[in-house]
């Protein structure tokens, strides 16, 4: 699941979430980091145990949280895992079909999270707005 950085995050959705969440944005992004890490670990453990039932909730949680921040490829991967797991619960099968997606999930989560955190960091150098000159050094115009 190789997706370029520019496609990992829908930056318009990210900006909307940032505006809607206001002062709580960074805190909620921190929850996503914690919950997402736990969800990925739970999904991997469930896959090792071949337990579709144990995959459903963490995949569902990761899907929703990823969508909230515009992390659409991550949300889609989590949804794929969730759908397969739910189907396997109904048919009482092992979630072997989800293996490839589960294997790629951690890297996708880490790459996406890196981008989200970098963009949310108030100290990150931003590109100057149109019509404004970038400051090149203290006291220089």
């Amino acid at each position: 699941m190789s997706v370029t950085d520019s496609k990992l995050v829908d930056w318009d959705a990210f900006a909307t979430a940032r505006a809607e969440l206001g002062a709580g944005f960074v805190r909620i992004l921190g929850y996503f980091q914690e919950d997402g890490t736990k969800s990925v670990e739970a999904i991997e453990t469930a896959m090792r145990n071949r337990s579709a039932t144990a995959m459903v909730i963490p995949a569902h949680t990761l899907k929703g949280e990823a969508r909230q921040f515009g992390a659409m490829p991550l949300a889609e991967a989590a949804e794929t895992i969730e759908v397969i797991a739910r189907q396997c619960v109904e048919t009482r099968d092992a979630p072997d079909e989800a293996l490839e997606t589960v294997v790629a999930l951690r890297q996708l989560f880490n790459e996406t999270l890196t981008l989200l955190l970098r963009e949310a960091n108030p100290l990150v150098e931003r590109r100057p707005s149109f019509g404004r000159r970038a400051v090149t050094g203290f006291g220089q115009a």
Side-chain angles (χ1 to χ4, degrees), residues 1-48:
M1 211 179 281
S2 150
V3 183
T4 62
D5 286 0
S6 64
K7 294 183 181 177
L8 287 177
V9 178
D10 175 342
W11 294 112
D12 291 334
F14 179 86
T16 299
R18 181 180 240 164
E20 289 175 355
L21 296 171
F25 177 79
V26 173
R27 178 176 44 85
I28 294 170
L29 183 58
Y31 294 154
F32 171 66
Q33 180 176 12
E34 292 173 22
D35 294 346
T37 300
K38 290 176 187 174
S39 291
V40 170
E41 289 171 2
I43 291 166
E44 290 171 341
T45 299
M47 187 74 233
R48 278 191 295 279

Side-chain angles (χ1 to χ4, degrees), residues 16-118:
T16 299
R18 181 180 240 164
E20 289 175 355
L21 296 171
F25 177 79
V26 173
R27 178 176 44 85
I28 294 170
L29 183 58
Y31 294 154
F32 171 66
Q33 180 176 12
E34 292 173 22
D35 294 346
T37 300
K38 290 176 187 174
S39 291
V40 170
E41 289 171 2
I43 291 166
E44 290 171 341
T45 299
M47 187 74 233
R48 278 191 295 279
N49 294 332
R50 300 182 77 214
S51 174
T53 304
M55 250 183 221
V56 174
I57 291 174
H60 179 77
T61 301
L62 183 60
K63 173 187 73 176
E65 291 180 349
R67 279 194 180 134
Q68 178 181 13
F69 291 105
M72 299 315 176
L74 180 60
E76 290 167 9
E79 182 174 26
T80 297
I81 294 166
E82 179 188 5
V83 167
I84 292 169
R86 287 184 187 278
Q87 184 178 29
C88 289
V89 168
E90 289 178 18
T91 60
R92 297 178 187 211
D93 287 330
D96 298 337
E97 185 183 340
L99 181 60
E100 185 178 330
T101 307
V102 171
V103 168
L105 188 65
R106 180 173 294 277
Q107 181 177 349
L108 180 59
F109 174 74
N110 288 338
E111 289 174 4
T112 302
L113 185 62
T114 297
L115 291 174
L116 294 174
L117 292 173
R118 184 172 59 210

Side-chain angles (χ1 to χ4, degrees), residues 18 26 117-126:
R18 181 180 240 164
V26 173
L117 292 173
R118 184 172 59 210
E119 188 63 27
N121 185 340
L123 301 177
V124 170
E125 182 180 328
R126 307 276 184 227

